[in-house]
Amino acid sequence: MTLVLIGLVGGLLTGISPCILPVLPVVFLGGASRGVGTASGGVDSDAVPSRARPVLIVVGLTISFSIFTLVGTALLSLLHLPADLIRWAGLVVLVLLGVSMIVPAIGHLVEKPFAWIPQRHVDPDRGGLLLGLALGAVFVPCAGPVLAAITVAGATGDLGPDTIILTLAFAVGCAIPLLVFALAGRQLVARIAAFRRHRRAVQIVSGSVMIALAIGLTFNVTDLIQRTIPNYTEALAGAAGRDASQILSGGANRDDYDDKLLYCQLQANYDVIDGDDCGPAPEFTGIERWLNTPGDEPLSLPRLRGQVVLVDFWAYSCINCQRELPHVEAWANAYASAGLTVVGVHTPEYAFEHVIDNVRAGADRIGVTFPIAIDNDYGTWNAYGNTVWPATYLIDATGRVRYVLYGEGSYTHEEKLIRGLLTEADPDVVLPASVQLPNTTPTDPKQSRETYLGADRMQFYAGDGDYTEGTHDFTDARALPAGGFELSGSWTIGHESLLAGAGARIRLDYHASKVYLNVGGTGTITVTADGRERTIRVSGAPNIYTVASAPDPEHDEVELELSPGLEAYSFTFG
């Protein structure tokens, strides 16, 4: 029931968020427009769409979205097909449906395969299912923790009952607002005689809107709508999180959960650190290699019994991890003699983070000396059911998880928990003085969000160029929206990065005190800000470089010129 509630709430918030706006006209007019043909190829202009048509549209969307989210990526990879094949198929179907509403004879042919029950006439309402299936293929909700968990599970093949339940609940939550709009369109036609008299015109408008949506999605015009309109659901999401936190901490009991680790993770999602007993700690599973252990020999929890163990999930190019890891390193050194062992489970976010030499070099730059488990196949990540970087699991001397903490910043409280578990393991232990390190966690609520540059997860591109995989020349020059970026010069756009060519430049609008670029290769970055230029030398595997810095958070722009051959992955902020 918890997974169902989380999925429904996440889906409902997505279903009323700005990212759904481009789809709403099609859903509304699709529910208002009865099918496009009869057996004779004509149009029944006086007929009102039945209640089934809006429902079929939303049912089709829910089915296709659920299937494509769960198994689409894995299936395309298995068949060695392009990653965006499903999306293109959906766009083609949308155009075909739009044309069929304008040209009834084509509509008859399109909807005929959906007349599953033999009858004299094709029921035009059944075409609503096809429309819903097409929308589900192109509908990409706003990113969020629920959808991220579903997508990671689908991409890694971890499709257990929990993931399926969460996906279906999320899809149903998204579908509820859409169903309201589809039914509203039908009611409008049913009640307003003028619409019924001009039924043919409504169909032509509906078909034109579907074609326009397909064109807009093809050229990423709809992304501009999502970037321009403020996310008015953020406050609702925050309220939902606080309510869920209160329910979990006050209205629910850990004993009600068979999976006690899941309970603690749900608490951690809302910054509620409620420990005592989160169940037995999962063993380190599927580790490819160990670093920073004697002889690079593996560690195991049974061998660490009697020690307090801090398991930290991280990735070396994650800026949040880079701010957190100095604190973890300091605890590892300060409390080793008191019985603390720190294990950093390195689970990659990018493809380059799978390379062990890159991880080793990244750890050296950050100053990580505690044991590192290379979790390239997500074995330990999945064993813990983890979903975020960084994430901390505190395990007591008996091998049970006692606390779960997500993200960065709660260092003082986390150190108190460590000291408490060490004293519990050995009441006579002599603890050193508390570690005193500055907390550099950003607290500005206006801070820009992480900006991915690869085609797969790009959200904030504000230019006019073709942002699809391949080599393109860009000539963007416009006023940037808040948090947006644009390109000029030659760039090769990849799945998760941008490869600089001749004259490659990025211009970024941001709100932060620091701007970091995750970039690799050998070359230079020329940074232009406030009329001044400076040069950053880049060499080696991808790493985070500071490209802008100010004493306090500010709203500004920065322009970067990357020498050919450099590969940029993302902007992060601090």
Side-chain angles (χ1 to χ4, degrees):
M1 283 303 298
T2 301
L3 288 173
V4 171
L5 288 173
I6 290 173
L8 281 174
V9 171
L12 282 168
L13 290 173
T14 299
I16 60 173
S17 66
C19 66
I20 204 72
L21 294 178
V23 179
L24 289 185
V26 171
V27 174
F28 182 84
L29 291 171
S33 301
R34 193 173 172 148
V36 290
T38 66
S40 61
V43 176
D44 182 2
S45 61
D46 292 327
V48 173
S50 74
R51 290 185 177 87
R53 183 172 176 82
V55 173
L56 286 173
I57 292 173
V58 176
V59 167
L61 189 151
T62 303
I63 292 172
S64 62
F65 168 73
S66 300
I67 292 175
F68 295 146
T69 302
L70 283 172
V71 301
T73 302
L75 183 61
L76 291 174
S77 177
L78 181 65
L79 298 177
H80 303 289
L81 295 173
D84 57 355
L85 178 63
I86 292 173
R87 179 176 181 271
W88 283 111
L91 291 172
V92 169
V93 172
L94 269 182
V95 171
L96 187 59
L97 285 173
V99 172
S100 71
M101 298 192 80
I102 298 172
V103 183
I106 296 177
H108 173 65
L109 295 175
V110 170
E111 293 188 342
K112 191 172 184 178
F114 288 83
W116 300 315
I117 301 175
Q119 55 186 4
R120 182 179 177 184
H121 297 287
V122 176
D123 182 356
D125 288 328
R126 287 196 177 121
L129 182 63
L130 181 57
L131 173 58
L133 291 171
L135 288 174
V138 300
F139 170 62
V140 182
C142 301
V146 176
L147 184 61
I150 296 169
T151 304
V152 169
T156 57
D158 185 20
L159 301 179
D162 289 349
T163 305
I164 295 172
I165 290 171
L166 187 62
T167 303
L168 292 176
F170 186 87
V172 169
C174 288
I176 291 173
L178 296 179
L179 181 59
V180 171
F181 277 91
L183 289 172
R186 179 195 173 275
Q187 289 296 321
L188 188 65
V189 171
R191 296 191 179 196
I192 301 179
F195 277 86
R196 297 177 65 179
R197 287 196 303 268
H198 300 287
R199 181 74 187 151
R200 182 74 184 112
V202 173
Q203 286 184 321
I204 293 174
V205 171
S206 301
S208 301
V209 169
M210 289 182 196
I211 296 172
L213 174 63
I215 294 173
L217 289 168
T218 299
F219 295 101
N220 297 314
V221 175
T222 56
D223 291 349
L224 181 60
I225 298 174
Q226 297 172 30
R227 292 193 299 266
T228 304
I229 298 176
N231 190 352
Y232 45 77
T233 60
E234 286 184 353
L236 291 174
R242 289 190 294 272
D243 290 344
S245 167
Q246 292 172 2
I247 292 171
L248 287 170
S249 59
N253 191 297
R254 182 179 286 99
D255 295 334
D256 297 333
Y257 286 76
D258 293 332
D259 188 343
K260 291 181 170 49
L261 182 57
L262 173 62
Y263 176 89
C264 292
Q265 290 168 330
L266 293 173
Q267 299 280 47
N269 273 319
Y270 303 109
D271 294 326
V272 178
I273 305 170
D274 181 14
D276 292 340
D277 185 5
C278 303
E283 182 56 277
F284 302 118
T285 303
I287 299 303
E288 181 176 330
R289 189 167 174 181
W290 287 84
L291 305 178
N292 296 344
T293 62
D296 287 346
E297 289 296 313
L299 299 180
S300 67
L301 288 178
R303 288 176 54 191
L304 295 174
R305 193 62 55 85
Q307 295 272 306
V308 173
V309 180
L310 186 158
V311 175
D312 187 74
F313 285 90
W314 64 292
Y316 83 81
S317 70
C318 160
I319 185 62
N320 310 84
C321 302
Q322 291 193 12
R323 288 192 289 255
E324 179 235 18
L325 285 168
H327 296 266
V328 180
E329 174 71 19
W331 297 331
N333 293 328
Y335 295 104
S337 60
L340 175 69
T341 296
V342 173
V343 177
V345 179
H346 186 277
T347 311
E349 182 178 11
Y350 293 105
F352 63 79
E353 291 175 328
H354 285 76
V355 180
I356 295 177
D357 286 343
N358 290 350
V359 178
R360 183 185 287 110
D364 289 343
R365 285 192 297 269
I366 300 169
V368 173
T369 63
F370 52 75
I372 300 172
I374 303 296
D375 187 31
N376 279 346
D377 292 329
Y378 290 77
T380 301
W381 175 283
N382 289 332
Y384 277 76
N386 191 54
T387 57
V388 301
W389 298 271
T392 300
Y393 295 81
L394 291 176
I395 304 170
D396 67 15
T398 69
R400 299 188 72 82
V401 177
R402 296 289 292 276
Y403 303 96
V404 179
L405 302 94
Y406 285 166
E408 54 175 321
S410 301
Y411 306 124
T412 301
H413 186 60
E414 188 171 346
E415 186 172 7
K416 288 180 180 177
L417 298 178
I418 293 170
R419 295 170 70 90
L421 291 178
L422 291 171
T423 302
E424 179 183 297
D426 180 4
D428 297 325
V429 69
V430 178
L431 297 177
S434 296
V435 172
Q436 300 293 325
L437 287 181
N439 186 347
T440 58
T441 305
T443 57
D444 184 0
K446 297 180 181 179
Q447 178 176 293
S448 298
R449 292 185 291 170
E450 184 168 7
T451 302
Y452 296 99
L453 300 176
D456 185 45
R457 290 191 287 178
M458 185 281 301
Q459 288 181 289
F460 304 118
Y461 175 57
D464 295 322
D466 180 7
Y467 213 99
T468 57
E469 293 189 39
T471 300
H472 309 285
D473 290 326
F474 295 85
T475 56
D476 296 333
R478 58 165 58 191
L480 285 173
F485 73 93
E486 64 179 23
L487 305 175
S488 58
S490 178
W491 290 92
T492 299
I493 298 177
H495 181 66
E496 60 181 20
S497 64
L498 296 176
L499 180 65
R505 289 176 176 265
I506 307 177
R507 193 160 65 95
L508 172 75
D509 178 278
Y510 68 91
H511 186 102
S513 59
K514 296 184 182 297
V515 181
Y516 309 96
L517 178 65
N518 192 342
V519 60
T522 301
T524 59
I525 303 172
T526 301
V527 181
T528 303
D530 299 325
R532 296 190 298 271
E533 285 190 359
R534 64 186 181 92
T535 300
I536 300 173
R537 297 193 177 277
V538 177
S539 179
N543 191 23
I544 292 175
Y545 293 81
T546 304
V547 296
S549 179
D552 299 305
E554 61 183 14
H555 181 239
D556 207 343
E557 286 188 8
V558 64
E559 184 172 320
L560 312 177
E561 181 176 1
L562 280 68
S563 60
L566 290 184
E567 195 164 9
Y569 291 83
S570 65
F571 286 106
T572 49
F573 305 91

